[in-house]
Amino acid sequence: MNKLLKLISAAVIGSAIFSPAVRAATAFDGLNVLVQNNFQSQNSEIHGALAVGGNATLFNYGVDLFSTPHGGIGGYGLMVGGNLNFTNGSVGKFTNPAQTYYGGTLSGSSVNYTGGVNAVNPINFGALFSQASIASAALGGYSNTGATTLNVGGTYGNSGGLTLTGDGSSAVQVFSISGTNLQTRNQIVVNNVPLTSAILVNVTGTFAQLANIDSSTPFAPFGGNVLFNFNSATQVHFDSTGLRASVLAPNALVTSGWGYLQGTVIAKEW
C-alpha cells in the first residue's frame, strides 16, 4: 500500500504524519477509481478495481486488467451500487479473474465477467465517500513546506513551466496552486524533494485542469506517492496528460480526454 492512501487515512482520523515504515491497511486499499455518483466512459481501461456508488455505463472498456492479484477488494474488480450497463469489455483476466457486483439492473453484452457476478456488496460506499471528503478538507489545511513557482521563460525556455521546490527533509512535502494557474501549465519540475517523501499538491478554486502535459517523468521516482487534492473543485478536466499521481476530488465532476492517470482517483462523478 502506498503512502498516499495512508496519508488520506491519517487525515481522516487526525493523526500525526505516519512513518514511511508503517504498513497498516486502509479502507481504500485495492481501489483504482472510486466515484460517488455515476461513471460513464468508453474506449479505455482501468488497471485496478473500479467502485461506483451510482450507475456505471461502459463501452469498449477493460476493468481491473493489471492489478495483482486481480480483484483488489476481496476478489472484486468492479463494484456498482446502481445499474450497470456494460458493452464490449472485460472485468479481470481469465488467468486472474475478478468478481463483479451491481446493486441495480444489468444490461449490455459481450463482456467477460471473468470472476462471475456476486450479489454481496463488498464495500460501504457511503462510509468511503465520507472518509474521502473529510480527508480532502483536512489535507487542504496542511501548511506548505515548499514553494510553487510559475516559470517565466520556464525550464529549457518553456513559459508554461511549474516548479515544485521542497524543503529537502519533510516526510510529506506540501505545495499549493490555484486551479487558474494550474490550467496554464504544460510542464512540471520537482526540486529538493527526498525520494522517500510523499508529495501533496493542494489545488484551490472550483475549476482545475491538467492538459497538454506529461508529468509522469518528474513524479516517477516517488513510487506513486504523489497526491493532487482538489478540495474545493466542482470540475476537474484531464486531457493530453500523463499523470503518475493520485487524485482526490470528492466534490468534482471529472472529465477526461486522451491520456492516463496512474494512481488512485476519488471523485464525485466521472
Side-chain angles (χ1 to χ4, degrees), residues 100-118:
T100 297
Y101 164 81
Y102 60 91
T105 61
L106 176 66
S107 59
S109 60
S110 302
V111 178
N112 294 326
Y113 295 101
T114 59
V117 174
N118 194 323

Side-chain angles (χ1 to χ4, degrees), residues 79-147:
M79 296 142 284
V80 179
N83 302 325
L84 172 59
N85 184 332
F86 196 172
T87 301
N88 296 335
S90 65
V91 180
K93 293 184 176 181
F94 286 117
T95 55
N96 204 353
Q99 299 179 76
T100 297
Y101 164 81
Y102 60 91
T105 61
L106 176 66
S107 59
S109 60
S110 302
V111 178
N112 294 326
Y113 295 101
T114 59
V117 174
N118 194 323
V120 178
N121 182 4
I123 65 173
N124 186 327
F125 288 103
L128 284 178
F129 299 136
S130 176
Q131 289 181 54
S133 295
I134 293 170
S136 182
L139 294 171
Y142 279 28
S143 298
N144 291 337
T145 63

Side-chain angles (χ1 to χ4, degrees), residues 197-216:
S197 296
I199 297 175
L200 170 63
V201 181
N202 282 314
V203 183
T204 61
T206 58
F207 175 78
Q209 173 177 275
L210 275 170
N212 302 311
I213 179 171
D214 184 346
S215 57
S216 61

Side-chain angles (χ1 to χ4, degrees), residues 164 188 190 199 201 215-224 226 228 243-245:
L164 305 176
I188 298 177
V190 180
I199 297 175
V201 181
S215 57
S216 61
T217 300
F219 293 141
F222 300 97
V226 180
F228 280 78
L243 188 66
R244 188 170 295 184

Side-chain angles (χ1 to χ4, degrees), residues 27-241:
F28 300 97
D29 281 358
L31 284 173
N32 196 173
V33 176
L34 172 66
V35 175
Q36 180 176 9
N37 294 331
N38 300 323
F39 183 94
Q40 180 176 337
S41 191
Q42 62 183 4
N43 302 322
S44 190
E45 63 190 25
I46 290 177
H47 290 186
L50 168 63
V52 180
N55 302 322
T57 302
L58 306 172
F59 179 76
N60 285 341
Y61 217 80
V63 178
D64 199 32
L65 296 183
F66 292 97
S67 63
T68 303
H70 280 49
I73 303 295
Y76 290 77
L78 175 60
M79 296 142 284
V80 179
N83 302 325
L84 172 59
N85 184 332
F86 196 172
T87 301
N88 296 335
S90 65
V91 180
K93 293 184 176 181
F94 286 117
T95 55
N96 204 353
Q99 299 179 76
T100 297
Y101 164 81
Y102 60 91
T105 61
L106 176 66
S107 59
S109 60
S110 302
V111 178
N112 294 326
Y113 295 101
T114 59
V117 174
N118 194 323
V120 178
N121 182 4
I123 65 173
N124 186 327
F125 288 103
L128 284 178
F129 299 136
S130 176
Q131 289 181 54
S133 295
I134 293 170
S136 182
L139 294 171
Y142 279 28
S143 298
N144 291 337
T145 63
T148 303
T149 305
L150 304 182
N151 300 82
V152 178
T155 304
Y156 309 118
N158 184 353
S159 60
L162 167 65
T163 300
L164 305 176
T165 303
D167 64 6
S169 60
S170 297
V172 179
Q173 301 276 321
V174 184
F175 306 92
S176 64
I177 186 172
S178 71
T180 300
N181 285 333
L182 182 63
Q183 66 182 296
T184 60
R185 301 301 97 192
N186 53 32
Q187 180 186 59
I188 298 177
V189 176
V190 180
N191 288 329
N192 202 34
V193 173
L195 296 183
T196 55
S197 296
I199 297 175
L200 170 63
V201 181
N202 282 314
V203 183
T204 61
T206 58
F207 175 78
Q209 173 177 275
L210 275 170
N212 302 311
I213 179 171
D214 184 346
S215 57
S216 61
T217 300
F219 293 141
F222 300 97
N225 294 307
V226 180
L227 174 66
F228 280 78
N229 180 33
F230 300 90
N231 178 50
S232 55
T234 55
Q235 183 178 359
V236 178
H237 181 65
F238 299 98
D239 197 8
S240 301
T241 293

